[in-house]
Amino acid sequence: MQQYFEVRWHGRGGQGAKTAALLFGEAAMETGKYIQAFPEYGPERTGAPVKSFNRLSDGPIRVHTQVINPDVVVVLDASLLECLDVTEGIKEGGTLLINTQESVNELKKKLAKTEGYKLAIVDASKIAMELLKRDVPNTVMLGAMVKVTGALDWDSALASIEEKLNSKFRGRKEIIEGNIKAIKRAYDEVKVA
Amino acid sequence: MKILAKTGNEAMAYAMKQINPDVVAAYPITPATEVVQIFSNYVADGEVDTEFVAVESEHSALSACCGASAAGARVMTSTASQGLALMHEILYIAAGNHLPIVIALVNRSLSAPINIHCDHSDTMGSREAGWMQLYCANSQEAYDSIPIALKIAEACGVPAIVSTDAFIISHCMDRLEVLEDDEVQKFIGEYNPKYFALDLENPKTYGPLDLQDYFFEHKRSQIDAFSKVLSTYNKVAKEYEKLSGRYYPAVEEYKTDGADVAIFTAGSTADTAKEVVDELREQGRKVGLVRMRMWRPLPVEEIKAALGKFKAVAVMDRSDTMADFGGPVFLETRGILYDLDKKPIITDYVYGLGGRNVEIADIVRVYDEISEIAKTGKVKKLVTYLGVRGEE
């Protein structure tokens, strides 16, 4: 079967887990990949746990099933570790990337499974608060994501994200530059345990 | 050729934009998906010349479409699920009046219980209404099928539904290759209806009372118009291939050479099943896939030719007939194969109702079971409800 690179995003309604998956998907497409980006639809309420997904490949993607065994799991909100098992189904040798202020040791106490994958952390909320003045960790996490997975070419991914932000925020320079700065900082600050 | 990242909804709305229909009448509220909402942005931004009619229900939406189409306009709309159910009465009026309206549809289950996820109950419930039906496996096909369907509809005087799977395709962003606007315009051509109500030189009546004396002849002529859809489809699909490089047969065979068994299914599951076929073929298993794309009119000879050669066939139905005898694709396929001297054993798997995820393992299981049937000739269970709690 064709090899896919699969991602699961965990967030809370309003944090932009869906937007993150869409931005990551588009950025990947512009580096020449075939992509899927889709949210899990259920009751969508602000603050409720939500998931979204990516599937990437070098060739056309024909699989239309849910992502069960992701290569990468990204957690936008570490409080989710208290109520769900974010390691569920994670691929052997995969990556778990968490937006957190806590240490690796503290986090490990909350994780159902601590072996068999790579744990990476970054305080994306802090970066977002400092540079965007709001706790919107989704785009910030893209920087960390690209760094730890090596799934995409950094320069073209960054160019694509910038273009998307440009069309989304219709030239509001402050927001766009703030986001790009934040993404670059997350790229630099992410730590692999 | 341009490459865009678009969801299934966006892909269908984009195709509508490139068609630039004269009139779109719609009721853009759940259970409809975003197709109309996205299209209405094109209207607001002046990217199309379409007269957009916002109405108060799907019944009114299709009624307005009928009026506009009878007046000679090129007309499209979009809906899903209960929306199509509420249009049901008017589906027959469009078809009976030979009005070539195209619906960009997202397949969603019908209430109750309330659910807006994918199954094919909505369009399967309308299969006798006289509309051409095309089921698409992915966003690319949904995009490509809209101009194809429009061209056939207008050529044959038959309305058409192009459908794709809710959420799985409609809300999934995918890589999409699009044509240029003028290429689409050239492909569909100008719409010059042979008959229309606002033809002042040759005034016509639409929808008059038609009792015992002629109703039957008019129905027969409607069926006759339908009988020309498949040959027109084959021509138009080839034309579209020349333009885009993408060809979609009415009934698609995938790795059926030398296969003993096959799954016969529609929609996104057919795409997923191709991956399973590839994997099983690598293991040396003699399995294939036949995809049902056109379901109305029924491509009888194509289905016969595609399925007749296997020892066993499993139909995967994403809806049920409530006949206690499986799904509609199963029942009609059995009817089609009845005439063959040597016919495959055929069983049914009703699956994925209300958006239940179909896993690779589910499809592998179906191949395992029909391979066993092909070997032993014995059917343990004619209709299986795949992946339902409490059932084997």
Side-chain angles (χ1 to χ4, degrees), chain A residues 1 4 34-37 41 62 64-66, chain B residues 167 173-174 254 271-272 275 278-279 357-358:
Chain A
M1 195 180 292
Y4 295 115
Y34 287 76
I35 58 118
Q36 287 179 348
Y41 279 89
R62 294 181 303 191
H64 301 288
T65 59
Q66 285 170 14
Chain B
F167 291 115
M173 180 191 273
D174 211 325
Y254 185 74
D271 243 11
T272 307
E275 292 266 324
D278 283 0
E279 185 164 307
N357 187 36
V358 56

mmCIF file with all atom_site columns, all heavy atoms in Angstrom, chain A residues 1 4 34-37 41 62 64-66, chain B residues 167 173-174 254 271-272 275 278-279 357-358:
data_model
loop_
_atom_site.group_PDB
_atom_site.id
_atom_site.type_symbol
_atom_site.label_atom_id
_atom_site.label_alt_id
_atom_site.label_comp_id
_atom_site.label_asym_id
_atom_site.label_entity_id
_atom_site.label_seq_id
_atom_site.pdbx_PDB_ins_code
_atom_site.Cartn_x
_atom_site.Cartn_y
_atom_site.Cartn_z
_atom_site.occupancy
_atom_site.B_iso_or_equiv
_atom_site.pdbx_formal_charge
_atom_site.auth_seq_id
_atom_site.auth_comp_id
_atom_site.auth_asym_id
_atom_site.auth_atom_id
_atom_site.pdbx_PDB_model_num
ATOM 1   N N   . MET A 1 1   ? 0.845   -1.198 0.000   1.00 0.00 ? 1   MET A N   1
ATOM 2   C CA  . MET A 1 1   ? 0.000   0.000  0.000   1.00 0.00 ? 1   MET A CA  1
ATOM 3   C C   . MET A 1 1   ? 0.880   1.247  0.000   1.00 0.00 ? 1   MET A C   1
ATOM 4   O O   . MET A 1 1   ? 1.979   1.231  0.530   1.00 0.00 ? 1   MET A O   1
ATOM 5   C CB  . MET A 1 1   ? -0.901  -0.006 1.234   1.00 0.00 ? 1   MET A CB  1
ATOM 6   C CG  . MET A 1 1   ? -2.038  0.986  1.126   1.00 0.00 ? 1   MET A CG  1
ATOM 7   S SD  . MET A 1 1   ? -3.104  0.979  2.563   1.00 0.00 ? 1   MET A SD  1
ATOM 8   C CE  . MET A 1 1   ? -3.860  -0.628 2.417   1.00 0.00 ? 1   MET A CE  1
ATOM 9   N N   . TYR A 1 4   ? 1.745   6.835  3.482   1.00 0.00 ? 4   TYR A N   1
ATOM 10  C CA  . TYR A 1 4   ? 1.183   8.145  3.795   1.00 0.00 ? 4   TYR A CA  1
ATOM 11  C C   . TYR A 1 4   ? 1.840   8.707  5.045   1.00 0.00 ? 4   TYR A C   1
ATOM 12  O O   . TYR A 1 4   ? 2.233   7.957  5.931   1.00 0.00 ? 4   TYR A O   1
ATOM 13  C CB  . TYR A 1 4   ? -0.326  8.040  4.048   1.00 0.00 ? 4   TYR A CB  1
ATOM 14  C CG  . TYR A 1 4   ? -1.098  7.610  2.831   1.00 0.00 ? 4   TYR A CG  1
ATOM 15  C CD1 . TYR A 1 4   ? -1.771  6.392  2.818   1.00 0.00 ? 4   TYR A CD1 1
ATOM 16  C CD2 . TYR A 1 4   ? -1.148  8.407  1.700   1.00 0.00 ? 4   TYR A CD2 1
ATOM 17  C CE1 . TYR A 1 4   ? -2.483  5.988  1.700   1.00 0.00 ? 4   TYR A CE1 1
ATOM 18  C CE2 . TYR A 1 4   ? -1.849  8.012  0.577   1.00 0.00 ? 4   TYR A CE2 1
ATOM 19  C CZ  . TYR A 1 4   ? -2.515  6.803  0.582   1.00 0.00 ? 4   TYR A CZ  1
ATOM 20  O OH  . TYR A 1 4   ? -3.209  6.411  -0.531  1.00 0.00 ? 4   TYR A OH  1
ATOM 21  N N   . TYR A 1 34  ? 0.784   15.599 -2.505  1.00 0.00 ? 34  TYR A N   1
ATOM 22  C CA  . TYR A 1 34  ? -0.659  15.399 -2.552  1.00 0.00 ? 34  TYR A CA  1
ATOM 23  C C   . TYR A 1 34  ? -1.144  15.441 -1.104  1.00 0.00 ? 34  TYR A C   1
ATOM 24  O O   . TYR A 1 34  ? -0.456  14.923 -0.215  1.00 0.00 ? 34  TYR A O   1
ATOM 25  C CB  . TYR A 1 34  ? -1.007  14.068 -3.189  1.00 0.00 ? 34  TYR A CB  1
ATOM 26  C CG  . TYR A 1 34  ? -0.790  14.077 -4.680  1.00 0.00 ? 34  TYR A CG  1
ATOM 27  C CD1 . TYR A 1 34  ? 0.487   13.993 -5.224  1.00 0.00 ? 34  TYR A CD1 1
ATOM 28  C CD2 . TYR A 1 34  ? -1.875  14.185 -5.548  1.00 0.00 ? 34  TYR A CD2 1
ATOM 29  C CE1 . TYR A 1 34  ? 0.690   14.025 -6.596  1.00 0.00 ? 34  TYR A CE1 1
ATOM 30  C CE2 . TYR A 1 34  ? -1.688  14.209 -6.922  1.00 0.00 ? 34  TYR A CE2 1
ATOM 31  C CZ  . TYR A 1 34  ? -0.400  14.128 -7.438  1.00 0.00 ? 34  TYR A CZ  1
ATOM 32  O OH  . TYR A 1 34  ? -0.219  14.160 -8.791  1.00 0.00 ? 34  TYR A OH  1
ATOM 33  N N   . ILE A 1 35  ? -2.284  16.040 -0.881  1.00 0.00 ? 35  ILE A N   1
ATOM 34  C CA  . ILE A 1 35  ? -2.675  16.284 0.510   1.00 0.00 ? 35  ILE A CA  1
ATOM 35  C C   . ILE A 1 35  ? -4.163  16.028 0.773   1.00 0.00 ? 35  ILE A C   1
ATOM 36  O O   . ILE A 1 35  ? -5.000  16.094 -0.121  1.00 0.00 ? 35  ILE A O   1
ATOM 37  C CB  . ILE A 1 35  ? -2.401  17.754 0.918   1.00 0.00 ? 35  ILE A CB  1
ATOM 38  C CG1 . ILE A 1 35  ? -3.166  18.726 -0.021  1.00 0.00 ? 35  ILE A CG1 1
ATOM 39  C CG2 . ILE A 1 35  ? -0.929  18.070 0.910   1.00 0.00 ? 35  ILE A CG2 1
ATOM 40  C CD1 . ILE A 1 35  ? -4.178  19.569 0.662   1.00 0.00 ? 35  ILE A CD1 1
ATOM 41  N N   . GLN A 1 36  ? -4.444  15.741 2.025   1.00 0.00 ? 36  GLN A N   1
ATOM 42  C CA  . GLN A 1 36  ? -5.811  15.844 2.543   1.00 0.00 ? 36  GLN A CA  1
ATOM 43  C C   . GLN A 1 36  ? -5.735  16.612 3.851   1.00 0.00 ? 36  GLN A C   1
ATOM 44  O O   . GLN A 1 36  ? -4.760  16.456 4.600   1.00 0.00 ? 36  GLN A O   1
ATOM 45  C CB  . GLN A 1 36  ? -6.412  14.461 2.842   1.00 0.00 ? 36  GLN A CB  1
ATOM 46  C CG  . GLN A 1 36  ? -6.779  13.649 1.617   1.00 0.00 ? 36  GLN A CG  1
ATOM 47  C CD  . GLN A 1 36  ? -7.333  12.285 1.977   1.00 0.00 ? 36  GLN A CD  1
ATOM 48  O OE1 . GLN A 1 36  ? -7.249  11.835 3.120   1.00 0.00 ? 36  GLN A OE1 1
ATOM 49  N NE2 . GLN A 1 36  ? -7.900  11.610 0.995   1.00 0.00 ? 36  GLN A NE2 1
ATOM 50  N N   . ALA A 1 37  ? -6.736  17.416 4.139   1.00 0.00 ? 37  ALA A N   1
ATOM 51  C CA  . ALA A 1 37  ? -6.858  18.085 5.427   1.00 0.00 ? 37  ALA A CA  1
ATOM 52  C C   . ALA A 1 37  ? -8.323  18.083 5.793   1.00 0.00 ? 37  ALA A C   1
ATOM 53  O O   . ALA A 1 37  ? -9.143  18.536 4.999   1.00 0.00 ? 37  ALA A O   1
ATOM 54  C CB  . ALA A 1 37  ? -6.336  19.511 5.348   1.00 0.00 ? 37  ALA A CB  1
ATOM 55  N N   . TYR A 1 41  ? -15.924 16.138 12.484  1.00 0.00 ? 41  TYR A N   1
ATOM 56  C CA  . TYR A 1 41  ? -17.107 16.937 12.800  1.00 0.00 ? 41  TYR A CA  1
ATOM 57  C C   . TYR A 1 41  ? -17.949 16.279 13.863  1.00 0.00 ? 41  TYR A C   1
ATOM 58  O O   . TYR A 1 41  ? -18.249 15.108 13.798  1.00 0.00 ? 41  TYR A O   1
ATOM 59  C CB  . TYR A 1 41  ? -17.941 17.177 11.547  1.00 0.00 ? 41  TYR A CB  1
ATOM 60  C CG  . TYR A 1 41  ? -17.367 18.302 10.738  1.00 0.00 ? 41  TYR A CG  1
ATOM 61  C CD1 . TYR A 1 41  ? -16.406 18.065 9.775   1.00 0.00 ? 41  TYR A CD1 1
ATOM 62  C CD2 . TYR A 1 41  ? -17.748 19.612 11.003  1.00 0.00 ? 41  TYR A CD2 1
ATOM 63  C CE1 . TYR A 1 41  ? -15.861 19.098 9.058   1.00 0.00 ? 41  TYR A CE1 1
ATOM 64  C CE2 . TYR A 1 41  ? -17.199 20.654 10.286  1.00 0.00 ? 41  TYR A CE2 1
ATOM 65  C CZ  . TYR A 1 41  ? -16.259 20.390 9.315   1.00 0.00 ? 41  TYR A CZ  1
ATOM 66  O OH  . TYR A 1 41  ? -15.721 21.423 8.618   1.00 0.00 ? 41  TYR A OH  1
ATOM 67  N N   . ARG A 1 62  ? -5.851  8.029  -2.424  1.00 0.00 ? 62  ARG A N   1
ATOM 68  C CA  . ARG A 1 62  ? -7.162  7.439  -2.686  1.00 0.00 ? 62  ARG A CA  1
ATOM 69  C C   . ARG A 1 62  ? -7.872  7.005  -1.408  1.00 0.00 ? 62  ARG A C   1
ATOM 70  O O   . ARG A 1 62  ? -9.047  6.669  -1.435  1.00 0.00 ? 62  ARG A O   1
ATOM 71  C CB  . ARG A 1 62  ? -7.005  6.233  -3.614  1.00 0.00 ? 62  ARG A CB  1
ATOM 72  C CG  . ARG A 1 62  ? -6.523  6.626  -4.996  1.00 0.00 ? 62  ARG A CG  1
ATOM 73  C CD  . ARG A 1 62  ? -6.404  5.419  -5.877  1.00 0.00 ? 62  ARG A CD  1
ATOM 74  N NE  . ARG A 1 62  ? -5.509  4.439  -5.281  1.00 0.00 ? 62  ARG A NE  1
ATOM 75  C CZ  . ARG A 1 62  ? -5.041  3.382  -5.920  1.00 0.00 ? 62  ARG A CZ  1
ATOM 76  N NH1 . ARG A 1 62  ? -5.415  3.148  -7.154  1.00 0.00 ? 62  ARG A NH1 1
ATOM 77  N NH2 . ARG A 1 62  ? -4.226  2.537  -5.326  1.00 0.00 ? 62  ARG A NH2 1
ATOM 78  N N   . HIS A 1 64  ? -9.869  7.299  1.844   1.00 0.00 ? 64  HIS A N   1
ATOM 79  C CA  . HIS A 1 64  ? -10.773 8.294  2.441   1.00 0.00 ? 64  HIS A CA  1
ATOM 80  C C   . HIS A 1 64  ? -11.285 7.811  3.792   1.00 0.00 ? 64  HIS A C   1
ATOM 81  O O   . HIS A 1 64  ? -12.458 7.951  4.114   1.00 0.00 ? 64  HIS A O   1
ATOM 82  C CB  . HIS A 1 64  ? -11.947 8.579  1.502   1.00 0.00 ? 64  HIS A CB  1
ATOM 83  C CG  . HIS A 1 64  ? -11.542 9.099  0.165   1.00 0.00 ? 64  HIS A CG  1
ATOM 84  N ND1 . HIS A 1 64  ? -11.052 10.366 -0.025  1.00 0.00 ? 64  HIS A ND1 1
ATOM 85  C CD2 . HIS A 1 64  ? -11.513 8.508  -1.053  1.00 0.00 ? 64  HIS A CD2 1
ATOM 86  C CE1 . HIS A 1 64  ? -10.765 10.539 -1.309  1.00 0.00 ? 64  HIS A CE1 1
ATOM 87  N NE2 . HIS A 1 64  ? -11.031 9.425  -1.947  1.00 0.00 ? 64  HIS A NE2 1
ATOM 88  N N   . THR A 1 65  ? -10.422 7.203  4.567   1.00 0.00 ? 65  THR A N   1
ATOM 89  C CA  . THR A 1 65  ? -10.823 6.737  5.893   1.00 0.00 ? 65  THR A CA  1
ATOM 90  C C   . THR A 1 65  ? -10.291 7.718  6.936   1.00 0.00 ? 65  THR A C   1
ATOM 91  O O   . THR A 1 65  ? -9.507  8.611  6.616   1.00 0.00 ? 65  THR A O   1
ATOM 92  C CB  . THR A 1 65  ? -10.226 5.352  6.186   1.00 0.00 ? 65  THR A CB  1
ATOM 93  O OG1 . THR A 1 65  ? -8.811  5.459  6.108   1.00 0.00 ? 65  THR A OG1 1
ATOM 94  C CG2 . THR A 1 65  ? -10.689 4.336  5.176   1.00 0.00 ? 65  THR A CG2 1
ATOM 95  N N   . GLN A 1 66  ? -10.720 7.528  8.177   1.00 0.00 ? 66  GLN A N   1
ATOM 96  C CA  . GLN A 1 66  ? -10.173 8.362  9.238   1.00 0.00 ? 66  GLN A CA  1
ATOM 97  C C   . GLN A 1 66  ? -8.702  8.001  9.455   1.00 0.00 ? 66  GLN A C   1
ATOM 98  O O   . GLN A 1 66  ? -8.258  6.926  9.078   1.00 0.00 ? 66  GLN A O   1
ATOM 99  C CB  . GLN A 1 66  ? -10.960 8.129  10.535  1.00 0.00 ? 66  GLN A CB  1
ATOM 100 C CG  . GLN A 1 66  ? -12.319 8.809  10.502  1.00 0.00 ? 66  GLN A CG  1
ATOM 101 C CD  . GLN A 1 66  ? -13.209 8.388  11.655  1.00 0.00 ? 66  GLN A CD  1
ATOM 102 O OE1 . GLN A 1 66  ? -12.762 7.794  12.627  1.00 0.00 ? 66  GLN A OE1 1
ATOM 103 N NE2 . GLN A 1 66  ? -14.489 8.681  11.518  1.00 0.00 ? 66  GLN A NE2 1
ATOM 104 N N   . PHE B 2 167 ? -18.802 15.196 4.294   1.00 0.00 ? 167 PHE B N   1
ATOM 105 C CA  . PHE B 2 167 ? -17.634 15.301 5.147   1.00 0.00 ? 167 PHE B CA  1
ATOM 106 C C   . PHE B 2 167 ? -16.406 14.608 4.563   1.00 0.00 ? 167 PHE B C   1
ATOM 107 O O   . PHE B 2 167 ? -15.389 15.252 4.337   1.00 0.00 ? 167 PHE B O   1
ATOM 108 C CB  . PHE B 2 167 ? -17.900 14.797 6.582   1.00 0.00 ? 167 PHE B CB  1
ATOM 109 C CG  . PHE B 2 167 ? -18.831 15.703 7.327   1.00 0.00 ? 167 PHE B CG  1
ATOM 110 C CD1 . PHE B 2 167 ? -20.084 15.276 7.725   1.00 0.00 ? 167 PHE B CD1 1
ATOM 111 C CD2 . PHE B 2 167 ? -18.471 17.013 7.607   1.00 0.00 ? 167 PHE B CD2 1
ATOM 112 C CE1 . PHE B 2 167 ? -20.959 16.136 8.383   1.00 0.00 ? 167 PHE B CE1 1
ATOM 113 C CE2 . PHE B 2 167 ? -19.326 17.882 8.261   1.00 0.00 ? 167 PHE B CE2 1
ATOM 114 C CZ  . PHE B 2 167 ? -20.572 17.443 8.657   1.00 0.00 ? 167 PHE B CZ  1
ATOM 115 N N   . MET B 2 173 ? -10.114 18.946 2.499   1.00 0.00 ? 173 MET B N   1
ATOM 116 C CA  . MET B 2 173 ? -9.306  19.690 1.536   1.00 0.00 ? 173 MET B CA  1
ATOM 117 C C   . MET B 2 173 ? -8.407  18.717 0.793   1.00 0.00 ? 173 MET B C   1
ATOM 118 O O   . MET B 2 173 ? -7.795  17.832 1.389   1.00 0.00 ? 173 MET B O   1
ATOM 119 C CB  . MET B 2 173 ? -8.461  20.737 2.249   1.00 0.00 ? 173 MET B CB  1
ATOM 120 C CG  . MET B 2 173 ? -7.596  21.538 1.300   1.00 0.00 ? 173 MET B CG  1
ATOM 121 S SD  . MET B 2 173 ? -6.410  22.522 2.185   1.00 0.00 ? 173 MET B SD  1
ATOM 122 C CE  . MET B 2 173 ? -7.393  23.969 2.465   1.00 0.00 ? 173 MET B CE  1
ATOM 123 N N   . ASP B 2 174 ? -8.377  18.886 -0.508  1.00 0.00 ? 174 ASP B N   1
ATOM 124 C CA  . ASP B 2 174 ? -7.624  17.962 -1.349  1.00 0.00 ? 174 ASP B CA  1
ATOM 125 C C   . ASP B 2 174 ? -6.961  18.766 -2.462  1.00 0.00 ? 174 ASP B C   1
ATOM 126 O O   . ASP B 2 174 ? -7.301  19.926 -2.689  1.00 0.00 ? 174 ASP B O   1
ATOM 127 C CB  . ASP B 2 174 ? -8.605  16.939 -1.946  1.00 0.00 ? 174 ASP B CB  1
ATOM 128 C CG  . ASP B 2 174 ? -7.953  15.596 -2.159  1.00 0.00 ? 174 ASP B CG  1
ATOM 129 O OD1 . ASP B 2 174 ? -6.753  15.556 -2.493  1.00 0.00 ? 174 ASP B OD1 1
ATOM 130 O OD2 . ASP B 2 174 ? -8.651  14.578 -1.991  1.00 0.00 ? 174 ASP B OD2 1
ATOM 131 N N   . TYR B 2 254 ? -11.531 -1.765 -12.049 1.00 0.00 ? 254 TYR B N   1
ATOM 132 C CA  . TYR B 2 254 ? -10.177 -1.580 -11.531 1.00 0.00 ? 254 TYR B CA  1
ATOM 133 C C   . TYR B 2 254 ? -9.556  -2.938 -11.213 1.00 0.00 ? 254 TYR B C   1
ATOM 134 O O   . TYR B 2 254 ? -10.061 -3.682 -10.379 1.00 0.00 ? 254 TYR B O   1
ATOM 135 C CB  . TYR B 2 254 ? -10.205 -0.710 -10.268 1.00 0.00 ? 254 TYR B CB  1
ATOM 136 C CG  . TYR B 2 254 ? -8.820  -0.374 -9.740  1.00 0.00 ? 254 TYR B CG  1
ATOM 137 C CD1 . TYR B 2 254 ? -8.015  0.554  -10.398 1.00 0.00 ? 254 TYR B CD1 1
ATOM 138 C CD2 . TYR B 2 254 ? -8.316  -1.029 -8.622  1.00 0.00 ? 254 TYR B CD2 1
ATOM 139 C CE1 . TYR B 2 254 ? -6.743  0.843  -9.936  1.00 0.00 ? 254 TYR B CE1 1
ATOM 140 C CE2 . TYR B 2 254 ? -7.039  -0.739 -8.148  1.00 0.00 ? 254 TYR B CE2 1
ATOM 141 C CZ  . TYR B 2 254 ? -6.258  0.199  -8.809  1.00 0.00 ? 254 TYR B CZ  1
ATOM 142 O OH  . TYR B 2 254 ? -4.995  0.484  -8.359  1.00 0.00 ? 254 TYR B OH  1
ATOM 143 N N   . ASP B 2 271 ? -12.771 4.459  -3.954  1.00 0.00 ? 271 ASP B N   1
ATOM 144 C CA  . ASP B 2 271 ? -11.393 4.952  -4.003  1.00 0.00 ? 271 ASP B CA  1
ATOM 145 C C   . ASP B 2 271 ? -10.533 4.214  -2.975  1.00 0.00 ? 271 ASP B C   1
ATOM 146 O O   . ASP B 2 271 ? -9.443  3.730  -3.280  1.00 0.00 ? 271 ASP B O   1
ATOM 147 C CB  . ASP B 2 271 ? -11.382 6.459  -3.652  1.00 0.00 ? 271 ASP B CB  1
ATOM 148 C CG  . ASP B 2 271 ? -10.899 7.321  -4.812  1.00 0.00 ? 271 ASP B CG  1
ATOM 149 O OD1 . ASP B 2 271 ? -10.769 6.786  -5.930  1.00 0.00 ? 271 ASP B OD1 1
ATOM 150 O OD2 . ASP B 2 271 ? -10.650 8.520  -4.588  1.00 0.00 ? 271 ASP B OD2 1
ATOM 151 N N   . THR B 2 272 ? -11.050 4.154  -1.758  1.00 0.00 ? 272 THR B N   1
ATOM 152 C CA  . THR B 2 272 ? -10.324 3.471  -0.683  1.00 0.00 ? 272 THR B CA  1
ATOM 153 C C   . THR B 2 272 ? -10.102 1.999  -1.042  1.00 0.00 ? 272 THR B C   1
ATOM 154 O O   . THR B 2 272 ? -9.028  1.449  -0.822  1.00 0.00 ? 272 THR B O   1
ATOM 155 C CB  . THR B 2 272 ? -11.102 3.584  0.648   1.00 0.00 ? 272 THR B CB  1
ATOM 156 O OG1 . THR B 2 272 ? -11.383 4.958  0.899   1.00 0.00 ? 272 THR B OG1 1
ATOM 157 C CG2 . THR B 2 272 ? -10.304 3.007  1.798   1.00 0.00 ? 272 THR B CG2 1
ATOM 158 N N   . GLU B 2 275 ? -7.048  0.923  -3.028  1.00 0.00 ? 275 GLU B N   1
ATOM 159 C CA  . GLU B 2 275 ? -5.812  0.709  -2.266  1.00 0.00 ? 275 GLU B CA  1
ATOM 160 C C   . GLU B 2 275 ? -5.774  -0.709 -1.712  1.00 0.00 ? 275 GLU B C   1
ATOM 161 O O   . GLU B 2 275 ? -4.721  -1.347 -1.673  1.00 0.00 ? 275 GLU B O   1
ATOM 162 C CB  . GLU B 2 275 ? -5.736  1.704  -1.106  1.00 0.00 ? 275 GLU B CB  1
ATOM 163 C CG  . GLU B 2 275 ? -5.545  3.130  -1.525  1.00 0.00 ? 275 GLU B CG  1
ATOM 164 C CD  . GLU B 2 275 ? -4.082  3.542  -1.536  1.00 0.00 ? 275 GLU B CD  1
ATOM 165 O OE1 . GLU B 2 275 ? -3.324  3.078  -0.660  1.00 0.00 ? 275 GLU B OE1 1
ATOM 166 O OE2 . GLU B 2 275 ? -3.699  4.311  -2.420  1.00 0.00 ? 275 GLU B OE2 1
ATOM 167 N N   . ASP B 2 278 ? -4.928  -3.105 -4.481  1.00 0.00 ? 278 ASP B N   1
ATOM 168 C CA  . ASP B 2 278 ? -3.484  -3.079 -4.758  1.00 0.00 ? 278 ASP B CA  1
ATOM 169 C C   . ASP B 2 278 ? -2.732  -3.958 -3.772  1.00 0.00 ? 278 ASP B C   1
ATOM 170 O O   . ASP B 2 278 ? -1.856  -4.740 -4.148  1.00 0.00 ? 278 ASP B O   1
ATOM 171 C CB  . ASP B 2 278 ? -2.941  -1.641 -4.649  1.00 0.00 ? 278 ASP B CB  1
ATOM 172 C CG  . ASP B 2 278 ? -3.301  -0.809 -5.879  1.00 0.00 ? 278 ASP B CG  1
ATOM 173 O OD1 . ASP B 2 278 ? -3.965  -1.352 -6.781  1.00 0.00 ? 278 ASP B OD1 1
ATOM 174 O OD2 . ASP B 2 278 ? -2.910  0.374  -5.926  1.00 0.00 ? 278 ASP B OD2 1
ATOM 175 N N   . GLU B 2 279 ? -3.092  -3.813 -2.499  1.00 0.00 ? 279 GLU B N   1
ATOM 176 C CA  . GLU B 2 279 ? -2.371  -4.565 -1.477  1.00 0.00 ? 279 GLU B CA  1
ATOM 177 C C   . GLU B 2 279 ? -2.632  -6.065 -1.598  1.00 0.00 ? 279 GLU B C   1
ATOM 178 O O   . GLU B 2 279 ? -1.707  -6.874 -1.535  1.00 0.00 ? 279 GLU B O   1
ATOM 179 C CB  . GLU B 2 279 ? -2.788  -4.071 -0.084  1.00 0.00 ? 279 GLU B CB  1
ATOM 180 C CG  . GLU B 2 279 ? -1.984  -4.727 1.014   1.00 0.00 ? 279 GLU B CG  1
ATOM 181 C CD  . GLU B 2 279 ? -2.101  -3.977 2.327   1.00 0.00 ? 279 GLU B CD  1
ATOM 182 O OE1 . GLU B 2 279 ? -1.855  -2.757 2.313   1.00 0.00 ? 279 GLU B OE1 1
ATOM 183 O OE2 . GLU B 2 279 ? -2.432  -4.609 3.342   1.00 0.00 ? 279 GLU B OE2 1
ATOM 184 N N   . ASN B 2 357 ? -17.407 5.200  9.925   1.00 0.00 ? 357 ASN B N   1
ATOM 185 C CA  . ASN B 2 357 ? -16.141 5.075  9.200   1.00 0.00 ? 357 ASN B CA  1
ATOM 186 C C   . ASN B 2 357 ? -15.995 3.665  8.635   1.00 0.00 ? 357 ASN B C   1
ATOM 187 O O   . ASN B 2 357 ? -16.286 2.690  9.315   1.00 0.00 ? 357 ASN B O   1
ATOM 188 C CB  . ASN B 2 357 ? -14.976 5.380  10.155  1.00 0.00 ? 357 ASN B CB  1
ATOM 189 C CG  . ASN B 2 357 ? -13.632 5.442  9.451   1.00 0.00 ? 357 ASN B CG  1
ATOM 190 O OD1 . ASN B 2 357 ? -13.542 5.913  8.315   1.00 0.00 ? 357 ASN B OD1 1
ATOM 191 N ND2 . ASN B 2 357 ? -12.588 4.978  10.112  1.00 0.00 ? 357 ASN B ND2 1
ATOM 192 N N   . VAL B 2 358 ? -15.587 3.580  7.375   1.00 0.00 ? 358 VAL B N   1
ATOM 193 C CA  . VAL B 2 358 ? -15.252 2.258  6.835   1.00 0.00 ? 358 VAL B CA  1
ATOM 194 C C   . VAL B 2 358 ? -13.735 2.146  6.801   1.00 0.00 ? 358 VAL B C   1
ATOM 195 O O   . VAL B 2 358 ? -13.049 2.989  6.238   1.00 0.00 ? 358 VAL B O   1
ATOM 196 C CB  . VAL B 2 358 ? -15.912 2.001  5.460   1.00 0.00 ? 358 VAL B CB  1
ATOM 197 C CG1 . VAL B 2 358 ? -15.559 3.069  4.456   1.00 0.00 ? 358 VAL B CG1 1
ATOM 198 C CG2 . VAL B 2 358 ? -15.523 0.634  4.918   1.00 0.00 ? 358 VAL B CG2 1
#
